[in-house]
Amino acid sequence: MVYVGIDLGGTSIKAGLVDEQGKILCKATCPTLVERGARPVVDDMAKLSLEVIEKGGYTLDDVKAIGVGLPGIQDPRTGIVPFCTNLYWHEVPVIEWMQETINKPIYIGNDATVAGLAESVAGVSAGIENSVFLTLGTGVGGGIVLGGKVYSGTNGVGSELGHMITVIDGELCTCGNRGCWERYASATALIRMGREAAEKHPESRIAASVNGRLDDITAKTVIDAAKAGDEAANEVFERYVYYLCAGLVNIINFIDPEVIVLGGGVSHAGQFLLDAVNRRLPSMVFYKTMPYARVALATLGNDAGIIGAAMLGR
Amino acid sequence: MVYVGIDLGGTSIKAGLVDEQGKILCKATCPTLVERGARPVVDDMAKLSLEVIEKGGYTLDDVKAIGVGLPGIQDPRTGIVPFCTNLYWHEVPVIEWMQETINKPIYIGNDATVAGLAESVAGVSAGIENSVFLTLGTGVGGGIVLGGKVYSGTNGVGSELGHMITVIDGELCTCGNRGCWERYASATALIRMGREAAEKHPESRIAASVNGRLDDITAKTVIDAAKAGDEAANEVFERYVYYLCAGLVNIINFIDPEVIVLGGGVSHAGQFLLDAVNRRLPSMVFYKTMPYARVALATLGNDAGIIGAAMLGR
């Protein structure tokens, strides 16, 4: 049997035909065009599903299930998607609409959750029972796999790890609270801290590498300058790693996974990031002589969304 | 079949014979006398077990398992208790020693975890699959029940909810980090904040009710003064509730349990505490229109330790 996985983002809809082992057999994509509303987007997801099945040389009979990863959540009581903020979706019956065209079991998962599932099936945490996946991107997304299965909580509102309050009364978050972890551990946070440092230190490599155009500073600007030994950049990066580790420690002290997988933009810093985390983390964990979660880099990259969505139905 | 539950504390060892429904049939107790070291304490736990079995009119054949709740953790790889800070225990083979006297399955759990299990079997969260239990006492202890079973993590180091960093760079914690939740949400924190307020406001009811002897201020002093409408006390209490809710929100955003149970000293504030939490929490949860965890008061009190320990073997 094969599976269809759909990665629904604000820019494009990506679909893939995926085998039992999480290997992508073929792919198809189309633009999301958010502005046309939910219904045509869902119809396109169904159309793309049929397209990849045919492209792969299979028929609907060979397909066990279809999975959709999206930037929102599903209400486990109704199967409806109550919110998809980036897509301006509100109360969208994704499963019902898709099943009008394709009579197959359809599963829905949050994009970070689905990426975590992908890593736990075919990536760096393959075969591991309990893992936590983090996307360090515009925000911080979280995916929890417990006992080999996606864990989204009783009401489907769990694993919002970016919204752990770690700096009470700190930076205002889009969620209305202050001091959420993602205000300090996302790529956005690293950029903000990098710009502040460049403003204070116009002689720094961060500022120089963008010719003083501070708006051009990206996470990579800061990381590259830190790698090159720039003092201001290193200070920012160490501070960022401290914030990151605060949340990692919270995850360890809370559900004690076997592995924490780092994905998203900042994770492209690679071993440089991992080394910094592994210098800081040991002194912060609670039980200092007991084993605790290994921190690893995601390996599936952009394919994680398709693979994980497909694996929802496995 | 019946179970033996043992609640090992720094002052006393309490044992109870417990039925399948979590009802205590009879109890026995003796002083812990920490200073004599681990071996005699473990021997007394075995002796008390036999005592309650006999007292209840049962024989060893009627006993399915023995459970021990203690202020520490068990290494799931070895069954050994690596730490029990308050008891000065280090690498104690509790199960091996007890089984020299009693040839029965023996289970070990952290005291807060065990109390949470008790509530989920015979208390306020009875029959609920996913719940989190908190003791708001000297520190903040956490117990997680997922799918009706105790969850302690991959390495047994999870559910240390009091050590979530919520106030980065905040108050120094005994664990070495700064800003752990228990520095802000424990009874100890409420007392500290109450003393500071009384110092600043010698005219306040907090200060008056202890005749200015600020060392006599307890959590109850602050709560009683707040209930009586004292302005300084209310300010402290509202601040405390804000800190408490920050951690509750983190728990909801993380594992989204069905119920969060509050136990320990501060929970004796009862409905007054619950009302304050329920005023603050709704504006802080991430998905404001989705259902989220109900917050409830523990109902089993001091018996939770015995009942929960017994239920480890169920």
Side-chain angles (χ1 to χ4, degrees):
Chain A
M1 298 297 273
V2 289
Y3 303 83
V4 175
I6 297 171
D7 178 1
L8 174 59
T11 311
S12 64
I13 310 171
K14 289 177 268 183
L17 196 70
V18 178
D19 72 9
E20 288 277 353
Q21 282 71 49
K23 205 184 123 207
I24 296 180
L25 305 172
C26 67
K27 290 195 254 190
T29 183
C30 75
T32 310
L33 307 174
V34 171
E35 59 283 5
R36 47 188 183 150
R39 183 74 213 214
V41 172
V42 174
D43 288 345
D44 272 356
M45 297 200 308
K47 214 185 291 172
L48 276 185
S49 300
L50 297 173
E51 193 180 320
V52 289
I53 294 165
E54 204 196 327
K55 202 170 169 183
Y58 290 84
T59 70
L60 258 181
D61 287 344
D62 304 312
V63 176
K64 197 162 167 200
I66 296 174
V68 180
L70 45 75
I73 59 165
Q74 183 191 30
D75 188 326
R77 299 163 305 171
T78 60
I80 283 175
V81 174
F83 316 97
C84 238
T85 315
N86 298 342
L87 306 179
Y88 309 100
W89 281 16
H90 186 65
E91 300 288 342
V92 177
V94 177
I95 295 175
E96 192 191 314
W97 285 352
M98 281 186 77
Q99 284 180 335
E100 288 175 13
T101 317
I102 308 178
N103 184 24
K104 285 282 167 186
I106 295 174
Y107 299 91
I108 295 175
N110 171 266
D111 48 10
T113 298
V114 151
L117 178 61
E119 293 289 345
S120 82
V121 170
V124 68
S125 49
I128 284 168
E129 290 275 294
N130 302 332
S131 61
V132 169
F133 177 83
L134 298 167
T135 49
L136 309 173
T138 310
V140 172
I144 301 174
V145 171
L146 289 185
K149 285 184 194 156
V150 159
Y151 182 88
S152 304
T154 309
N155 306 292
V157 303
S159 93
E160 288 292 348
L161 301 176
H163 296 279
M164 273 193 296
I165 295 172
T166 43
V167 186
I168 209 161
D169 298 330
E171 297 268 338
L172 188 64
C173 184
T174 49
C175 76
N177 286 334
R178 286 190 171 274
C180 288
W181 190 34
E182 73 170 30
R183 306 317 297 165
Y184 296 86
S186 59
T188 311
L190 184 57
I191 294 166
R192 184 188 72 232
M193 290 157 63
R195 286 180 185 162
E196 285 165 9
E199 207 159 52
K200 237 175 43 196
H201 304 283
E203 79 292 355
S204 69
R205 194 177 181 115
I206 314 181
S209 64
V210 291
N211 296 315
R213 288 189 301 269
L214 304 194
D215 282 350
D216 290 354
I217 291 173
T218 64
K220 196 172 180 305
T221 315
V222 181
I223 290 162
D224 286 347
K227 280 180 178 171
D230 181 59
E231 201 181 320
N234 264 310
E235 210 170 279
V236 165
F237 190 69
E238 284 302 316
R239 188 77 191 154
Y240 171 84
V241 167
Y242 172 50
Y243 289 134
L244 178 62
C245 285
L248 297 180
V249 158
N250 287 0
I251 291 167
I252 291 167
N253 288 345
F254 201 133
I255 64 162
D256 176 23
E258 194 172 339
V259 178
I260 301 176
V261 180
L262 305 182
V266 179
S267 75
H268 298 141
Q271 197 60 40
F272 185 68
L273 174 68
L274 223 45
D275 287 346
V277 165
N278 286 329
R279 272 195 305 274
R280 189 95 206 203
L281 200 53
S283 69
M284 292 176 77
V285 297
F286 187 68
Y287 292 107
K288 291 177 177 54
T289 61
M290 290 282 287
Y292 62 89
R294 177 167 63 89
V295 180
L297 299 168
T299 55
L300 298 175
N302 291 332
D303 285 341
I306 291 175
I307 297 169
M311 294 296 97
L312 285 173
R314 201 176 66 155
Chain B
M1 298 297 273
V2 289
Y3 303 82
V4 175
I6 296 170
D7 178 2
L8 174 60
T11 310
S12 64
I13 311 171
K14 287 177 270 182
L17 197 69
V18 178
D19 72 12
E20 289 275 352
Q21 281 71 47
K23 205 184 124 209
I24 297 180
L25 305 172
C26 67
K27 291 196 256 192
T29 184
C30 75
T32 310
L33 307 172
V34 170
E35 59 283 2
R36 48 186 181 150
R39 183 75 215 213
V41 172
V42 174
D43 288 345
D44 272 356
M45 297 199 307
K47 214 186 289 173
L48 276 186
S49 300
L50 297 173
E51 194 180 320
V52 289
I53 295 165
E54 204 196 325
K55 203 170 167 183
Y58 290 83
T59 69
L60 257 181
D61 287 342
D62 304 311
V63 176
K64 197 162 167 199
I66 296 174
V68 180
L70 44 75
I73 59 166
Q74 182 191 30
D75 188 327
R77 300 164 304 172
T78 61
I80 283 175
V81 173
F83 317 97
C84 239
T85 315
N86 298 342
L87 306 178
Y88 309 99
W89 281 17
H90 187 65
E91 301 287 342
V92 177
V94 176
I95 295 176
E96 192 191 314
W97 286 352
M98 280 186 77
Q99 284 180 333
E100 288 175 14
T101 315
I102 308 178
N103 184 24
K104 285 283 166 184
I106 295 174
Y107 300 90
I108 295 175
N110 171 266
D111 47 11
T113 298
V114 150
L117 178 61
E119 293 289 344
S120 82
V121 170
V124 68
S125 49
I128 284 168
E129 289 274 295
N130 302 332
S131 61
V132 168
F133 176 84
L134 298 166
T135 50
L136 309 173
T138 310
V140 171
I144 301 173
V145 171
L146 289 184
K149 284 182 193 156
V150 158
Y151 182 88
S152 304
T154 308
N155 306 291
V157 303
S159 93
E160 287 293 347
L161 300 176
H163 296 279
M164 273 193 296
I165 296 173
T166 43
V167 186
I168 211 161
D169 298 330
E171 297 267 339
L172 188 63
C173 184
T174 48
C175 76
N177 285 335
R178 286 190 171 273
C180 289
W181 191 34
E182 73 170 29
R183 306 317 296 166
Y184 296 85
S186 59
T188 311
L190 184 56
I191 293 166
R192 184 189 71 233
M193 289 157 64
R195 286 181 185 160
E196 285 164 9
E199 208 160 50
K200 232 167 57 188
H201 304 283
E203 79 292 355
S204 69
R205 194 176 180 117
I206 313 181
S209 65
V210 292
N211 296 315
R213 287 189 301 268
L214 305 193
D215 284 349
D216 290 355
I217 291 173
T218 64
K220 195 172 180 306
T221 314
V222 181
I223 291 161
D224 286 347
K227 281 180 177 171
D230 181 58
E231 200 182 320
N234 264 311
E235 210 170 279
V236 165
F237 189 69
E238 284 303 316
R239 186 78 192 154
Y240 171 84
V241 167
Y242 173 51
Y243 288 135
L244 179 62
C245 285
L248 297 180
V249 158
N250 287 359
I251 292 167
I252 291 166
N253 289 344
F254 200 133
I255 63 163
D256 175 24
E258 194 172 339
V259 179
I260 300 176
V261 181
L262 305 181
V266 179
S267 74
H268 298 140
Q271 197 60 40
F272 185 68
L273 174 68
L274 224 44
D275 288 345
V277 165
N278 287 329
R279 272 196 305 273
R280 190 96 207 202
L281 201 54
S283 68
M284 292 176 76
V285 297
F286 187 66
Y287 293 107
K288 290 176 178 55
T289 62
M290 291 279 288
Y292 62 90
R294 177 167 62 91
V295 180
L297 299 168
T299 55
L300 297 175
N302 290 332
D303 285 341
I306 290 174
I307 297 169
M311 293 298 96
L312 285 172
R314 201 175 69 154

